[in-house]
């Protein structure tokens, strides 16, 4: 059910947000459907809070509204910030690359660049592919979290075997120190990934997807330790990923190359260097357009209680 006082305030904000000369009160009344007496009360409060200002000829957006609008227009989305660095990453490595964006416990591929004739013509991981931020996935992101949050990440994954938990205890500190992770490749895992993709596209339930995740853990060697990387003549690699950071150091996604083949130790090292450099460049682009500070709220008595409860 619509809450009329809140709706009237939002209608006034929408009317004042349109570019042009100041709006007379009669025009705002026509645009919002509110009475003049109601608008007098709403606009007076908005003027006190700098969300609206009165000029000769009418009303326009106030300084606080314009500040919010300018901050939002300056925001750069991750896919756009990553596009050119991702193309350079593919040129440097000859390997298809993707960028993940993390939100609400999931990490989704928001852009992908194929490697042309040098390898596959398209990435193995397509735009829209989703990975849960749940152990053992998204390690390069979780490794940057405080230890208590890493523990929660581990505890939220009931399908982990004891051996998988022990392995994560070993590799996570090393991932945190070096700043990147490696996904290992086995024939069984490749078949499992194909199965998982078909399950996602068929709309299968969460229970089956969770079981596929459990099988992934059982059939895979999780990441690689520094000692394994230095001693191996070659290594089966699905992907190499490094986190993308905002100016405050918070990881908001990751970039990755997806070779999906065996690589020599030297080739892995080159891929790691290139991915880390790409992640740093994307992070710098985001830092140049920092996420705006939390927008100033409307006066409390103009906000519906249910909305206020969701915002807390």
């Amino acid at each position: 059910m619509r809450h009329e006082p809140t709706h009237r305030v939002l209608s006034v904000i929408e009317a004042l947000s349109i570019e042009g000369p100041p709006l007379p009160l009669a025009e705002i009344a026509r645009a919002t459907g509110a009475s003049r007496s109601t608008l007098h009360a709403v606009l007076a409060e908005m003027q006190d809070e700098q969300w609206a200002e009165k000029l000769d000829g009418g009303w326009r957006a106030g300084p606080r509204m314009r500040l919010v609008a300018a901050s939002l227009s300056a925001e750069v989305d991750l896919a756009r910030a990553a596009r050119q660095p991702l193309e350079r990453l593919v040129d440097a490595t000859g390997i298809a690359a993707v960028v993940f964006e993390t939100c609400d416990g999931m990490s989704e591929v928001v852009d992908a660049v194929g490697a042309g004739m040098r390898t596959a013509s398209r990435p193995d991981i397509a735009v829209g592919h989703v990975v849960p931020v749940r152990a053992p996935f998204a390690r390069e992101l979780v490794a940057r979290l405080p230890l208590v949050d890493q523990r929660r990440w581990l505890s939220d994954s009931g399908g982990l075997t004891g051996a998988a938990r022990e392995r994560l205890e070993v590799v996570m500190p090393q991932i945190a120190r070096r700043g990147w992770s490696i996904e290992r490749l086995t024939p069984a895992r490749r078949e499992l990934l194909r199965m998982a993709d078909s399950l996602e596209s068929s709309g299968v339930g969460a229970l089956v997807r969770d079981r596929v995740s459990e099988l992934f853990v059982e059939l895979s060697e999780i990441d690689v330790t520094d000692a394994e990387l230095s001693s191996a003549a070659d290594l089966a690699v699905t992907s190499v990923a490094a986190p993308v950071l905002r100016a405050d150091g918070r990881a908001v996604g990751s970039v990755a190359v997806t070779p999906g083949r065996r690589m020599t130790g030297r080739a892995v090292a080159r891929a790691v260097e290139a991915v880390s450099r790409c992640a740093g460049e994307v992070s710098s682009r985001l830092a140049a357009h920092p996420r705006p500070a939390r927008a100033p709220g409307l006066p409390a008595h103009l906000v519906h209680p249910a909305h206020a409860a969701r915002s807390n």
Side-chain angles (χ1 to χ4, degrees), residues 126-177:
V127 172
H129 182 82
V130 174
V131 176
V133 182
R134 184 180 66 229
F137 305 105
R139 294 181 300 278
E140 72 281 357
L141 301 177
V142 177
R144 295 194 57 84
L145 296 176
L147 188 58
V148 64
D149 293 324
Q150 293 188 37
R151 295 296 183 190
R152 187 179 301 114
W153 172 74
L154 275 172
S155 64
D156 286 346
S157 296
L160 286 179
T161 63
R165 289 180 182 277
E166 291 178 6
R167 176 70 176 183
L168 286 169
E169 294 281 0
V170 172
V171 299
M172 288 301 288
Q174 297 187 28
I175 295 171
R177 183 178 65 254

Side-chain angles (χ1 to χ4, degrees), residues 1-306:
M1 181 180 296
R2 189 168 75 180
H3 184 255
E4 287 301 330
T6 301
H7 176 71
R8 283 194 293 271
V9 174
L10 294 176
S11 298
V12 173
I13 291 175
E14 185 176 12
L16 296 181
S17 67
I18 299 173
E19 288 289 338
L23 291 177
L25 190 64
E27 182 65 28
I28 299 175
R30 189 161 42 249
T32 63
S35 67
R36 289 183 175 230
S37 60
T38 296
L39 289 176
H40 273 300
V42 171
L43 288 167
E45 184 65 29
M46 291 180 65
Q47 184 178 33
D48 288 345
E49 299 291 336
Q50 297 188 327
W51 280 87
E53 60 182 352
K54 189 175 183 180
L55 304 172
D56 292 339
W59 293 84
R60 71 173 186 180
R64 294 181 77 179
M65 190 187 299
R66 294 198 299 272
L67 176 62
V68 171
S71 297
L72 291 175
S73 65
E75 180 76 358
V76 175
D77 66 272
L78 180 55
R80 184 170 52 174
R83 184 64 186 188
Q84 289 182 337
L86 213 62
E87 291 174 344
R88 285 192 284 270
L89 174 61
V90 171
D91 287 340
T93 62
I95 305 172
V98 297
V99 57
F100 288 88
E101 184 166 24
T102 303
C103 183
D104 297 329
M106 304 298 288
S107 198
E108 179 181 356
V109 176
V110 294
D111 197 10
V113 178
M117 296 300 293
R118 288 172 293 180
T119 57
S121 60
R122 61 179 178 82
D124 287 337
I125 306 176
V127 172
H129 182 82
V130 174
V131 176
V133 182
R134 184 180 66 229
F137 305 105
R139 294 181 300 278
E140 72 281 357
L141 301 177
V142 177
R144 295 194 57 84
L145 296 176
L147 188 58
V148 64
D149 293 324
Q150 293 188 37
R151 295 296 183 190
R152 187 179 301 114
W153 172 74
L154 275 172
S155 64
D156 286 346
S157 296
L160 286 179
T161 63
R165 289 180 182 277
E166 291 178 6
R167 176 70 176 183
L168 286 169
E169 294 281 0
V170 172
V171 299
M172 288 301 288
Q174 297 187 28
I175 295 171
R177 183 178 65 254
R178 68 197 185 198
W180 47 266
S181 70
I182 286 182
E183 205 68 86
R184 308 280 289 270
L185 178 70
T186 66
R189 185 186 181 283
R190 288 189 67 85
E191 185 59 34
L192 193 60
L193 284 177
R194 282 193 289 269
M195 185 192 309
D197 286 340
S198 65
L199 289 174
E200 286 182 354
S201 63
S202 64
V204 74
L207 182 63
V208 177
R209 288 199 304 270
D210 287 348
R211 182 52 186 155
V212 171
S213 297
E214 294 169 13
L215 288 171
F216 161 78
V217 174
E218 294 170 8
L219 294 171
S220 299
E221 185 73 15
I222 298 173
D223 221 289
V224 59
T225 66
D226 296 342
E228 291 166 350
L229 187 59
S230 62
S231 63
D234 64 0
L235 195 68
V237 178
T238 301
S239 64
V240 179
V244 172
L245 312 176
R246 289 206 176 271
D248 59 4
R250 181 170 60 91
V252 294
S254 56
V255 295
V257 290
T258 59
R261 63 176 187 265
R262 299 198 72 85
M263 302 174 68
T264 65
R266 183 173 297 179
V268 172
R270 287 197 298 268
V272 163
E273 181 180 358
V275 168
S276 299
R277 184 168 57 248
C278 177
E281 184 177 353
V282 179
S283 299
S284 296
R285 286 176 168 231
L286 292 181
H289 297 83
R291 185 177 293 274
R294 187 179 181 87
L298 290 170
H301 69 279
L302 295 179
V303 180
H304 188 271

